[in-house]
Amino acid sequence: MKRYLISFAYDATNYHGYQKQPNLKTVQSEIERALFEINNNKKVIIHSASRTDKGVHALDQKAHFDLDVTITPYKLKRALNSKLPNDIHINNAEEVNNDFHARYLAIKKEYVYILNMGEYNPIERNIVYQYNKKLDTEEIKKAIKYFEGEHDFISFVSAEDKKDNNIRTIYETSVKVLNDKLYIRFVGSGFLKYQVRNMVGTLIEVGSGKRKKEDIASIFKAKDRRKAGKTAKPEGLYLSKVFYK
Amino acid sequence: MKRYLISFAYDATNYHGYQKQPNLKTVQSEIERALFEINNNKKVIIHSASRTDKGVHALDQKAHFDLDVTITPYKLKRALNSKLPNDIHINNAEEVNNDFHARYLAIKKEYVYILNMGEYNPIERNIVYQYNKKLDTEEIKKAIKYFEGEHDFISFVSAEDKKDNNIRTIYETSVKVLNDKLYIRFVGSGFLKYQVRNMVGTLIEVGSGKRKKEDIASIFKAKDRRKAGKTAKPEGLYLSKVFYK
């Protein structure tokens, strides 16, 4: 038995999210179906770094799994890509130690949110959030700094998904404007369900003048999801990197 | 009766090209269907600057048409966008003189071809050609210069679509590399069927070392479609601008 780590990209448009669900087409179930064939029709369960929500894309998601058959990483990548639909792509495969774990050993993750402030773009409708209005990006650049550091993110977590410990650390943020597009980037120790989309939704409200950037400090203090902004649409969000030691 | 000019963008992925065809879903038929409703159920025929092929996208296509009803350009844009599917979008509408013609009065058109030389990207699979191999972009930059100026483009026209006069002028070209993507741009007086894709296909063969850039001069001289490169895939091509006096 050998353990493998794959990195992969997907267009989430036609899936019910990453995680396996009965009778629904998900990214995980597509990859497990392909691995089942490669593994001589023996079931394979994959463990991903992140379970992205419905509509959220990945540029470089990671997952590990064990195979009974012996196959070189190069051939594994090729075999998987030949069996996967064209909206999922394996970027890389490698052999790892038997105690490697794609989720538990991830030390940082990077998410990028892309938003179009210009005219509606039909060509990018599923891969860039079509906000289609101007935003005060200078205010957003200042506001995002409030998220940096260690915080209890309970006000930015979906109510049904609170954990015992909602403390996470955001190591790095950036906001870039290119043509009419806004790129909002977070690098953190880990992210709770809807956390990135709720932070982005709050930043959009700052950029549209609906809120002040200082509100973010009060939202943290309130420890109340209802104080934060609306959850931003999923199609603008990308899991872009997962870091290991 | 008033004449209107619209500019519009579309994702061609789910259409059988721009031009109306019996029993097929095309961009033209979608817009005419929406205009039929706006025009009190009277048929409207639209005349576009260009008839893009199946799979070829547009960022700013133009078309004119006449309406019996009186409607402000602002309301016309809104009404059309509310009736059109989300992969076609009207960028602008304006009133024009009754002798305006979107095709005959177009003096220049710009096409851009986008090609990914890096790892296959599932997120952009329908909107960027996934070549997924390195190309010698410096050679392509030199080769594209052969296309500039006035030429008989008969060697770059699909055989079944030759016209009496295949002389066209290319005013401007550019080749840009950004990350792993190549952007090939042509501005010309007009383009024949498959001309841009055949020029791009020839440039790809130069960039991959299969041909020399000087071959382009011989291809022009031969006046023979079989001498030019393979037709590049449609999904990388965009009609990006149409110019009027």
Side-chain angles (χ1 to χ4, degrees), chain A residues 157-173:
Chain A
V157 177
S158 82
E160 74 270 31
D161 220 74
K162 273 184 263 184
K163 306 212 169 169
D164 291 343
N165 177 355
N166 299 290
I167 294 173
R168 296 291 182 276
T169 303
I170 293 186
Y171 300 113
E172 235 186 294
T173 64

Side-chain angles (χ1 to χ4, degrees), chain B residues 156-158 194-202 225 229-231:
Chain B
F156 296 93
V157 178
S158 84
Y194 295 161
Q195 183 188 335
V196 178
R197 289 164 59 193
N198 289 336
M199 293 191 293
V200 169
T202 306
R225 169 68 189 92
K230 275 172 66 177
T231 308

Side-chain angles (χ1 to χ4, degrees), chain B residues 134-184:
Chain B
K134 290 276 163 262
L135 285 170
D136 184 339
T137 56
E138 290 309 311
E139 278 304 290
I140 293 177
K141 281 180 191 176
K142 291 172 198 158
I144 200 169
K145 295 293 168 196
Y146 284 86
F147 290 117
E148 292 187 358
E150 189 183 271
H151 299 279
D152 184 335
F153 283 94
I154 193 157
S155 298
F156 296 93
V157 178
S158 84
E160 74 272 32
D161 221 74
K162 275 184 263 182
K163 306 214 170 169
D164 291 342
N165 176 356
N166 299 288
I167 294 171
R168 297 290 183 275
T169 303
I170 294 186
Y171 299 115
E172 233 187 296
T173 63
S174 69
V175 176
K176 279 184 191 159
V177 183
L178 191 63
N179 301 321
D180 280 326
K181 281 188 218 162
L182 186 65
Y183 296 80
I184 302 174

Side-chain angles (χ1 to χ4, degrees), chain A residues 69-226:
Chain A
V69 297
T70 299
I71 183 168
T72 67
Y74 176 76
K75 283 193 177 164
L76 175 60
K77 174 184 168 174
R78 289 216 352 193
L80 273 170
N81 281 331
S82 74
K83 292 174 194 299
L84 285 168
N86 63 5
D87 48 9
I88 302 177
H89 178 75
I90 309 298
N91 295 324
N92 190 50
E94 58 187 295
E95 238 185 275
V96 287
N97 288 336
N98 281 333
D99 59 354
F100 182 88
H101 197 289
R103 185 167 318 133
Y104 303 144
L105 296 184
I107 52 167
K108 287 194 294 184
K109 286 171 197 166
E110 180 187 85
Y111 279 90
V112 176
Y113 196 93
I114 315 178
L115 177 154
N116 176 22
M117 299 182 289
E119 189 76 21
Y120 174 86
N121 184 339
I123 295 154
E124 298 183 332
R125 71 194 182 284
N126 295 322
I127 60 175
V128 171
Y129 170 45
Q130 300 298 316
Y131 182 71
N132 308 130
K133 288 185 284 284
K134 289 277 163 262
L135 285 170
D136 185 338
T137 56
E138 290 308 312
E139 278 304 289
I140 292 177
K141 281 180 191 176
K142 292 173 197 157
I144 200 170
K145 295 291 167 198
Y146 284 87
F147 290 116
E148 292 187 359
E150 188 182 89
H151 299 279
D152 184 336
F153 282 94
I154 193 157
S155 298
F156 295 93
V157 177
S158 82
E160 74 270 31
D161 220 74
K162 273 184 263 184
K163 306 212 169 169
D164 291 343
N165 177 355
N166 299 290
I167 294 173
R168 296 291 182 276
T169 303
I170 293 186
Y171 300 113
E172 235 186 294
T173 64
S174 68
V175 176
K176 279 185 190 157
V177 183
L178 191 63
N179 300 322
D180 280 326
K181 281 189 219 163
L182 186 65
Y183 296 79
I184 303 175
R185 184 175 142 269
F186 296 94
V187 181
S189 58
F191 294 92
L192 299 153
K193 196 169 168 73
Y194 295 162
Q195 182 188 334
V196 178
R197 290 163 58 193
N198 288 337
M199 293 191 294
V200 169
T202 306
L203 290 173
I204 291 173
E205 294 181 4
V206 170
S208 67
K210 210 176 149 187
R211 278 176 193 272
K212 290 184 183 145
K213 58 181 182 302
E214 296 80 11
D215 287 4
I216 297 172
S218 337
I219 298 168
F220 273 126
K221 269 192 208 129
K223 296 186 189 295
D224 182 349
R225 169 68 189 94
R226 292 166 299 179

Side-chain angles (χ1 to χ4, degrees), chain B residues 8 18 46-51 61-64 101-103 244:
Chain B
F8 52 109
Y18 171 78
I46 70 172
H47 303 269
S48 69
S50 178
R51 285 164 289 196
Q61 165 78 288
K62 307 270 190 180
H64 81 263
H101 196 289
R103 184 167 319 133
Y244 297 99

